[in-house]
Amino acid sequence: MVRGAALYEAWRKVRENGQKSVSLETQNAVREFEGSAPKHLRRIDRHLRLETFHFTPQIGILKKRPGKKPRPLVVGAIPNRIVQRAILDVLQAIPAIDAILKTPSSFGGIKGRDRKEAIAAACRSIQAGGRHFIRSDIRDFFTKIPRQIVLDFLARHVQDAKFLDLAKRAMETTLENLDELGEDAILFPLGLEGVAQGSPLSPLMGNILLVN
């Protein structure tokens, strides 16, 4: 289960990412939380222990893209992000998930791997005689992930029912600005499928799905 030390480590990562964000709202939210971080973290820890922690509704943002539908990004409150990040850290330490993250051909959302690593792998393949490649792009991938497949996989490797319930709730998307989004709200994963783009858990869920 997610507890004190894990929350502090998760907060450190959320703070680091938030300080680098191009969003002034995110930077301000991190700064405000940081002003009383120990108190906030103790409160989150208490709610988790008492099983009274609730993920608050998030903000949906439509990022415009030339010639394409807007990208539906979701911004959660700092406590949401901390708990999601802590869940991610716990899950990544599970042997079955660690094995998935070590898949040689996977690079997205994996610590220590980025575009440079992907390019280097392609170069090694070419040097070894590779002459062809397969290009694919799964349309609206994150918003169409069948969450139940991911949850079923986790249930086979995690024995803590309370932790699984917390993870399940962490994957759900609820928005507080639905009226503002209007008809475009349909672009967000509000039903049984999909995970929010912007959630710390979305890359891991994608990697689990692609291997199962």
Side-chain angles (χ1 to χ4, degrees):
M1 195 62 175
V2 175
R3 286 294 180 261
L7 292 175
Y8 274 89
E9 177 61 16
W11 157 239
R12 186 186 67 79
K13 294 172 182 175
V14 168
R15 179 181 59 189
E16 181 180 342
N17 291 334
Q19 289 172 338
K20 297 176 182 177
S21 174
V22 297
S23 167
L24 290 178
E25 289 82 358
T26 295
Q27 292 179 24
N28 290 335
V30 166
R31 208 160 22 239
E32 182 178 347
F33 189 96
E34 187 173 23
S36 301
K39 180 181 71 175
H40 293 317
L41 291 169
R42 286 194 299 270
R43 183 173 63 249
I44 294 171
D45 183 58
R46 183 173 66 254
H47 281 300
L48 287 170
R49 284 188 287 104
L50 296 174
E51 299 176 42
T52 56
F53 180 84
H54 296 288
F55 293 95
T56 57
Q58 303 137 308
I59 299 293
I61 298 174
L62 294 166
K63 185 175 181 180
K64 294 182 178 179
R65 298 182 292 175
K68 296 183 179 180
K69 294 185 299 184
R71 185 185 300 278
L73 301 179
V74 173
V75 178
I78 298 300
N80 285 18
R81 297 188 218 179
I82 290 172
V83 175
Q84 289 172 331
R85 180 71 218 197
I87 291 170
L88 175 65
D89 290 342
V90 170
L91 290 176
Q92 289 182 140
I94 294 172
I97 293 179
D98 180 61
I100 287 176
L101 298 179
K102 289 179 179 176
T103 302
S105 56
S106 294
F107 297 92
I110 298 177
K111 185 178 180 180
R113 298 190 189 182
D114 53 21
R115 281 179 290 184
K116 290 182 179 179
E117 291 288 330
I119 292 171
C123 289
R124 288 194 295 270
S125 180
I126 293 171
Q127 291 168 356
R131 292 294 178 267
H132 301 86
F133 69 94
I134 299 174
R135 181 183 183 278
S136 65
D137 184 14
I138 303 175
R139 184 178 181 184
D140 301 327
F141 175 63
F142 289 110
T143 58
K144 300 300 182 184
I145 289 177
R147 292 201 300 272
Q148 194 57 50
I149 292 178
V150 177
L151 289 168
D152 289 344
F153 173 85
L154 295 181
R156 294 195 295 271
H157 301 283
V158 178
Q159 304 305 315
D160 189 331
K162 293 178 180 179
F163 177 81
L164 285 172
D165 177 69
L166 182 67
K168 177 182 178 180
R169 291 189 285 118
M171 295 175 188
E172 296 171 352
T173 301
T174 57
L175 300 178
E176 66 175 61
N177 62 329
L178 283 175
D179 291 342
E180 177 186 328
L181 293 169
E183 294 181 354
D184 287 329
I186 196 174
L187 298 175
F188 293 85
L190 301 174
L192 298 177
E193 288 191 339
V195 60
Q197 295 186 64
S199 167
L201 292 168
S202 58
L204 177 63
M205 291 178 65
N207 280 311
I208 290 174
L209 178 67
L210 290 172
V211 175
N212 283 273

